[in-house]
Amino acid sequence: MPRQVDHALRRSEISAAVWLVVSERGLEGLTLRAVAAAADCTTGRVMHYFPDKKALLAHARSVMHHRMAERIDAMPAGGTARSALYAVAEQALPLDEERRLEAAVWSHFQLAGRTDPELLHEHAVSHASWVRRLTELVDAALPVPLEPSDLHRRVRALVACLDGLALNAVTDPEAYPPDLQQHVLETQLDLVLEGIRHP
């Protein structure tokens, strides 16, 4: 009788191997052969789940998104609306080894998506989800309600700040140490939440 294959377990093992390869070799070293070696299986088995490098990259991006979401969902409730916003926004910054790796995957995915419609679509979906989450948090933390168009601009400014910090901290970590990233985020939140022009 043929042995039953636990596809969820196999995919989970290969997923862990994808992340291990990225961690040890960078995205340049993310190949089917490297993932197969890390998962202690054949390249044929890897290809059963991920047919090419693009699929591996998309999966690494998906893992990154889920890891970040899990950290956010595990945050304790309580505190002010601003502190909740800061805590969530900070998860996008490469302040430790785990988040530096995630930011590296994100930045590579951004570049790859420029010329690949499928990757671009995946980015657009996850990015829209991130913007919605931040919009809810910013709206809750504002001292006075804003018109939707103004709220939208402020959230986009926050997103641009986070993206720029992450990219620069990955490419030049000595110039953008964690304490500077945190200071810039605090300053940006002051602008987003408190720089409100009254008529």
Side-chain angles (χ1 to χ4, degrees):
M1 184 174 186
R3 204 170 43 157
Q4 290 263 338
V5 176
D6 188 337
H7 289 288
L9 177 61
R10 286 270 175 85
R11 187 177 178 86
S12 176
E13 290 171 347
I14 295 173
S15 172
V18 169
W19 204 253
L20 179 64
V21 169
V22 172
S23 175
E24 293 182 346
R25 306 187 188 188
L27 288 159
E28 298 77 12
L30 183 61
T31 64
L32 293 168
R33 186 186 299 272
V35 171
D40 194 25
C41 67
T42 65
T43 54
R45 180 178 293 176
V46 174
M47 290 179 68
H48 179 73
Y49 298 97
F50 306 104
D52 52 31
K53 182 167 181 174
K54 183 172 79 172
L56 290 175
L57 177 59
H59 184 67
R61 172 67 175 81
S62 175
V63 170
M64 185 219 82
H65 181 74
H66 288 302
R67 284 161 60 117
M68 183 174 170
E70 286 174 359
R71 285 198 305 270
I72 292 172
D73 291 341
M75 289 177 179
T80 65
R82 178 186 170 120
S83 66
L85 170 60
Y86 178 89
V88 170
E90 190 186 55
Q91 293 306 307
L93 300 180
L95 300 175
D96 52 38
E97 192 56 42
E98 178 180 7
R99 283 178 282 181
R100 276 191 290 274
L101 177 57
E102 291 173 358
V105 170
W106 166 81
S107 60
H108 191 86
F109 193 91
Q110 295 282 86
L111 292 174
R114 288 175 59 246
T115 55
D116 189 303
E118 288 180 44
L119 296 182
L120 183 60
H121 174 73
E122 289 188 34
H123 164 72
V125 170
S126 62
H127 186 72
S129 173
W130 176 234
V131 169
R132 282 194 300 272
R133 187 189 288 263
L134 289 178
T135 299
E136 292 174 2
L137 291 165
V138 169
D139 193 32
L142 283 165
V144 296
L146 294 176
E147 291 294 325
S149 59
D150 195 5
L151 175 61
H152 175 79
R153 284 192 294 269
R154 287 167 186 268
V155 172
R156 291 293 179 175
L158 175 58
V159 170
C161 176
L162 292 170
D163 287 355
L165 272 176
L167 181 59
N168 280 288
V170 165
T171 55
D172 192 0
E174 290 187 8
Y176 291 86
D179 60 336
L180 176 61
Q181 295 177 56
Q182 291 168 320
H183 174 72
V184 171
L185 175 56
E186 287 282 13
T187 302
Q188 184 65 31
L189 290 189
D190 287 342
L191 294 171
V192 168
L193 300 178
E194 298 166 15
I196 296 175
R197 295 194 182 108
H198 298 280

